Amino acid sequence: TMGIGVRTLQRSAGALGITLRDLVDEVRLEFSQRYLTNKALTNEPVAFLVGYSDAPAFNRAFQRFTGLTPGDDRNSVN
C-alpha cells in the first residue's frame, strides 16, 4: 500500500534502534487505546480494527504491553 518493501521498512526501523515488530506493536497499542475510549466498541471490533485475529489474542497482547486488561484501561480513562 505504501509502495515500500518490508525489508526497506525493517532497515529504516533498525536505523532508529527498533524492530519492525516493535513499531507495529506500538501503533497497534496506540490505536487500541484510542478505540477503547469509544464505549460503543467492544473488544471484538477493536481487536479486528488493530489487526488481531480475535478478542482473546488482543486481550493477551494488550495486557502484555500495558499490564492492564482492555476493560481496565477503558475504565481508567473515566
Side-chain angles (χ1 to χ4, degrees):
T1 301
M2 294 173 44
I4 299 172
V6 172
R7 184 65 189 123
T8 301
L9 288 172
Q10 288 171 329
R11 280 192 302 272
S12 297
L16 297 172
I18 59 174
T19 66
L20 186 55
R21 171 61 36 209
D22 292 338
L23 183 58
V24 168
D25 289 342
E26 185 177 321
V27 171
R28 280 179 156 179
L29 177 60
E30 184 177 325
F31 275 90
S32 297
Q33 290 173 317
R34 288 182 189 182
Y35 289 135
L36 288 171
T37 63
N38 182 345
K39 301 288 186 190
L41 291 175
T42 63
N43 287 357
E44 191 72 36
V46 172
F48 173 76
L49 288 167
V50 296
Y52 287 95
S53 58
D54 56 27
F58 166 66
N59 292 343
R60 285 189 303 274
F62 191 91
Q63 192 161 15
R64 186 175 66 247
F65 297 134
T66 66
L68 299 170
T69 66
D72 290 341
D73 184 75
R74 184 188 306 259
N75 294 332
S76 71
V77 174
N78 293 333

